[in-house]
Amino acid sequence: MTEQSRIDIRHVTKLYGRTKAVNNVDLTIDGGAYCCMIGPSGCGKTTLLRMIAGHETPTSGSILIGGTDVTTARTGSRGTALMFQNYALFPHLSLTDNVAFSLRVKGVRADDRRQAARDMLDRVQLLHLADRVPSELSGGQQQRVALARALINKPRVLLLDEPLSALDEFLRLKMRVELKRLQNDLGITFIHVTHTQPEAIALADQVVVMDHGLIEQAASPREIYNRPHSPYVARFMGGQNVLAGRVDRIDGTTAVVAGRNGVSYDLTAARGVEPGQNLRFSVRRDRIAVRPEAAARNGLTGRVVNIEYQGTYVKVALETGLGEEFMIYMDDEDYFAHPHRVGDTVHAAWDASMNHHLPGTNDSTGTPHED
Amino acid sequence: MSQSSTRRGMGFYLLAAFFGLFVLFLYGPMLMIFILSFQGPTGGLTFPMRGVSTHWFNDLWTSSRYGDLGGAFRRSLLLGVMAMAITAVVCLFAALGFRRRFWGAGPIFYLSIISLIVPGILLGLGISQLFQLLGLRLAWWLSALGAHLSWTLPFGLLIMFAVLNRFDGSWEEAARDAGARPWQVLGLVTVPILFPGLIAVALFGFTLSYDEMPRSLLTVGGRNTLPIEISNMTTNVTTPALYAIGTVTSAVSFLVIALAFVAIAVIQKQRSRARGRTE
């Protein structure tokens, strides 16, 4: 199954008029992987998904599934199944006939296809509603029908277009678990388009971060989260502070960077940088300590502008005069031992190994979509 | 809710009176004609009623005074059915085509809508001139049908646009994604979902053609359609048979509408039975 459901995207470009919705994208998705494509609306993730499904044709480049070129193969004949964002269930058919639809167009006998559809509905625990029409179902039930309809043809690749965005918070978490379990059971490739960071981090084997038709970074969620490629990825995925500075000197493998606030930062593994160069780096928000005095290196000082209690930790936002708010995620016990108030001056410090150089140049703010 | 219902303002009564007048104006004359069509054999065109009978309905069929009423009725009915079928089919595909926003879609749309605005009698005159120029004979099933379509097609197209407004294109994409060929998408998804709207379009096609007069006057050729025949009757018939024919034609219109509703109800019942059969 693994090789059969591998996807190779080679130099794919999609033009709408003069707009490059997808710009010369190269990507390999391993067979049997759970891949999440993430980015702000208009970044090209849905267009890429629709090209894999065959609902759009690339302007140039090719798409291979299981080693076979399917760039111009007919939709519905390439071993993919797409689950639509609004589910697109047929309003005039019962759940059974909705699920059996692809068997019907293939010419499977009515009794056989209905039996297969009922088995599939049983699998998503909706057999008791088999004779209802979609408008009689709740959002979560409709989604399961859409899933059953997509899976009945035994696709090699399941494509999911923002599958959880129409559900409320509780159902979304529940369905997230079910999707992951289903993918484990079936062993086929799932490609899941989302704009929600926790969803991508929680589900994916491979996260593809996109912006303006380009892939910013494609890697494991841990890699994306800990070692973002560019300031945009760091900001969009969250959990990171982005700082800027100029390289002062190089000591062996360590670059000493002078921050705009006059503090020096030691970037232990900054490769290919030269003295005098401007660069950006990130620091994880949950690896920052608060000190009674200003740190000489690898720290900064700011005024508290906002405090949010998050249950297991506390979000403290600092105004540092560097343009971007600096965030500290403090352990709740540590915080409540020495609480701060808005307006307090706070000294932050961290270990030099926490400084992560951002080689990528995409510096857009990438405001994450807050659900 | 309870507060607003306890005190009704002046506006309510004014609007209610206006609505009452409207209903009276709409159905009053029809009701009068309906009642007077059952006038006794010795009665006249106005009240009072001299007995109640179906004499004038009978007179309509048996007397030769009224010209070829039966033939005109048959022609109008057939013409209505032809206009209905063509309107439903053409408007469905035209509206589906307009979704693609092809080059020149705007001008083509306006060109087809203009025939709603052109005075019908002028259009009829133009068609008859054209036929003369081409050396063709005017006939109700050809020139009049064309004239009627110039009226029913743009109307049907506008209704179809409204119907398509609520049609989600992702249904068709889902069908294609499941492997359906274009004709399967059309037959299994698009048409079934649009069917109630299609019946509405067909209904408009029939009724607009069935009582169309200005466009027919100069295009029917030698044999009249029913509205022209009735129009002629109003000038030379002075018996309640005039009312009888009014009652009959109205009844046919209502019958067609009723049939359409029954058709929709039957389809919905079939669908729910199809659901039940999978039990």
Side-chain angles (χ1 to χ4, degrees):
Chain A
M1 201 64 189
T2 315
E3 272 308 299
Q4 280 178 23
S5 55
R6 194 174 98 123
I7 295 171
D8 293 285
I9 295 165
R10 291 183 187 157
H11 313 301
V12 165
T13 295
K14 178 69 183 178
L15 295 172
Y16 290 116
R18 286 192 186 164
T19 319
K20 281 187 177 169
V22 172
N23 187 358
N24 198 23
V25 158
D26 273 297
L27 178 68
T28 297
I29 300 165
D30 287 335
Y34 201 121
C35 172
C36 278
M37 293 189 183
I38 188 165
S41 38
C43 72
K45 56 188 194 296
T46 299
T47 307
L48 193 55
L49 188 84
R50 289 172 57 81
M51 285 193 287
I52 298 170
H55 291 292
E56 309 277 349
T57 311
T59 310
S60 63
S62 55
I63 295 171
L64 285 75
I65 298 176
T68 312
D69 191 329
V70 295
T71 315
T72 55
R74 197 169 62 84
T75 314
S77 71
R78 42 171 80 189
T80 60
L82 174 60
M83 201 177 103
F84 289 79
Q85 186 175 5
N86 63 357
Y87 313 138
L89 297 175
F90 304 125
H92 60 302
L93 299 178
S94 68
L95 298 199
T96 309
D97 289 337
N98 258 285
V99 174
F101 188 83
S102 64
L103 301 179
R104 180 170 181 188
V105 300
K106 272 205 274 183
V108 176
R109 272 186 44 232
D111 290 347
D112 295 345
R113 65 172 190 250
R114 290 221 163 97
Q115 190 51 49
R118 294 169 65 80
D119 291 345
M120 193 50 88
L121 281 170
D122 195 20
R123 186 166 185 164
V124 296
Q125 291 120 45
L126 285 175
L127 187 56
H128 59 294
L129 301 176
D131 301 320
R132 302 277 185 91
V133 287
S135 58
E136 296 170 318
L137 305 186
S138 72
Q141 290 169 333
Q142 289 189 15
Q143 195 201 33
R144 294 221 289 268
V145 178
L147 205 53
R149 186 178 66 180
L151 289 174
I152 194 151
N153 238 343
K154 299 189 171 60
R156 293 181 284 171
V157 180
L158 183 67
L159 307 162
L160 306 122
D161 187 6
E162 310 219 1
L164 306 175
S165 61
L167 304 177
D168 64 50
E169 188 65 23
F170 173 76
L171 261 176
R172 183 168 14 198
L173 293 179
K174 190 163 166 269
M175 280 311 296
R176 197 162 96 180
V177 174
E178 282 188 32
L179 280 180
K180 184 75 186 170
R181 188 178 301 153
L182 192 65
Q183 196 259 343
N184 272 331
D185 290 352
L186 295 170
I188 63 173
T189 307
F190 273 38
I191 304 178
H192 175 141
V193 160
T194 179
H195 54 237
T196 318
Q197 295 78 5
E199 205 168 290
I201 296 282
L203 284 169
D205 302 313
Q206 182 186 26
V207 176
V208 178
V209 186
M210 295 187 69
D211 191 33
H212 293 110
L214 293 166
I215 292 183
E216 273 294 309
Q217 191 171 6
S220 73
R222 195 139 181 260
E223 179 81 6
I224 296 259
Y225 195 72
N226 282 311
R227 307 182 55 76
H229 174 70
S230 63
Y232 161 75
V233 176
R235 292 187 188 112
F236 187 75
M237 296 308 293
Q240 304 270 3
N241 290 301
V242 176
L243 295 168
R246 178 191 290 268
V247 178
D248 203 23
R249 61 176 196 281
I250 312 275
D251 281 348
T253 59
T254 301
V256 178
V257 174
R260 276 191 241 150
N261 52 2
V263 182
S264 288
Y265 299 93
D266 304 308
L267 271 62
T268 49
R271 288 200 183 82
V273 298
E274 289 168 15
Q277 182 189 337
N278 285 312
L279 54 67
R280 286 172 203 280
F281 59 98
S282 64
V283 184
R284 263 177 66 168
R285 293 172 171 176
D286 56 342
R287 297 289 160 85
I288 293 162
V290 173
R291 297 278 166 74
E293 277 161 31
R297 306 178 79 81
N298 302 314
L300 51 69
T301 299
R303 191 171 50 82
V304 176
V305 288
N306 195 33
I307 298 168
E308 264 183 25
Y309 178 52
Q310 301 281 328
T312 54
Y313 66 98
V314 180
K315 255 185 187 175
V316 180
L318 303 186
E319 171 56 53
T320 58
L322 296 174
E324 254 172 88
E325 269 186 7
F326 189 88
M327 290 278 218
I328 309 173
Y329 293 172
M330 292 181 71
D331 185 81
D332 64 327
E333 281 188 31
D334 292 353
Y335 174 82
F336 288 109
H338 303 284
H340 303 290
R341 271 184 301 183
V342 172
D344 286 357
T345 297
V346 164
H347 305 291
W350 56 88
D351 192 81
S353 64
M354 289 297 121
N355 291 319
H356 166 69
H357 175 217
L358 301 167
T361 52
N362 187 339
D363 191 31
S364 66
T365 48
T367 311
H369 182 98
E370 301 280 358
D371 261 355
Chain B
M1 264 322 257
S2 59
Q3 270 191 336
S4 65
S5 60
T6 47
R7 269 196 69 78
R8 282 176 171 143
M10 191 65 175
F12 173 84
Y13 293 103
L14 280 174
L15 289 172
F18 181 76
F19 180 70
L21 274 175
F22 168 73
V23 171
L24 193 70
F25 196 76
L26 188 66
Y27 292 103
M30 257 210 274
L31 194 68
M32 293 255 284
I33 284 177
F34 177 75
I35 294 170
L36 282 170
S37 64
F38 291 96
Q39 180 71 282
T42 55
L45 277 172
T46 52
F47 284 111
M49 298 282 283
R50 288 169 196 252
V52 174
S53 75
T54 55
H55 171 84
W56 299 108
F57 291 94
N58 206 30
D59 193 41
L60 220 46
W61 308 128
T62 51
S63 170
S64 57
R65 273 182 300 169
Y66 309 120
D68 186 18
L69 256 186
F73 178 64
R74 240 179 296 120
R75 280 190 288 277
S76 268
L77 214 56
L78 209 62
L79 196 54
V81 169
M82 288 196 289
M84 173 178 88
I86 295 172
T87 303
V89 173
V90 171
C91 289
L92 170 70
F93 288 105
L96 289 177
F98 268 112
R99 289 191 304 177
R100 300 213 174 165
R101 310 196 176 283
F102 51 87
W103 190 85
I108 289 177
F109 171 71
Y110 288 118
L111 271 178
S112 53
I113 294 303
I114 279 172
S115 68
L116 282 182
I117 304 157
V118 175
I121 190 86
L122 282 184
L123 201 116
L125 185 63
I127 291 176
S128 72
Q129 290 301 314
L130 182 74
F131 267 62
Q132 241 163 32
L133 213 65
L134 295 174
L136 292 168
R137 285 193 62 174
L138 293 169
W140 62 272
W141 50 267
L142 186 63
S143 45
L145 177 64
H148 283 197
L149 289 176
S150 76
W151 176 233
T152 59
L153 284 182
F155 231 104
L157 189 63
L158 287 176
I159 300 169
M160 213 56 218
F161 278 161
V163 171
L164 272 182
N165 237 342
R166 291 192 300 180
F167 183 81
D168 181 355
S170 64
W171 286 322
E172 290 170 317
E173 283 194 334
R176 278 196 289 276
D177 202 76
R181 306 267 171 181
W183 57 269
Q184 287 176 316
V185 176
L186 188 73
L188 296 177
V189 173
T190 314
V191 168
I193 293 176
L194 290 177
F195 203 80
L198 266 177
I199 289 187
V201 171
L203 207 62
F204 263 94
F206 179 83
T207 54
L208 287 178
S209 159
Y210 179 66
D211 69 358
E212 160 58 34
M213 163 106 153
R215 279 155 216 259
S216 313
L217 265 178
L218 300 170
T219 55
V220 286
R223 291 159 188 272
N224 284 338
T225 57
L226 192 59
I228 300 174
E229 205 66 34
I230 293 174
S231 169
N232 290 344
M233 278 173 73
T234 56
T235 56
N236 55 30
V237 173
T238 49
T239 65
L242 193 58
Y243 299 141
I245 185 72
T247 300
V248 171
T249 53
S250 304
V252 169
S253 283
F254 280 115
L255 191 73
V256 169
I257 293 170
L259 278 176
F261 279 116
V262 169
I264 293 176
V266 165
I267 287 159
Q268 275 169 350
K269 198 160 192 177
Q270 265 179 351
R271 281 183 188 169
S272 64
R273 202 180 306 141
R275 247 179 279 160
R277 204 169 48 223
T278 59
E279 197 88 57

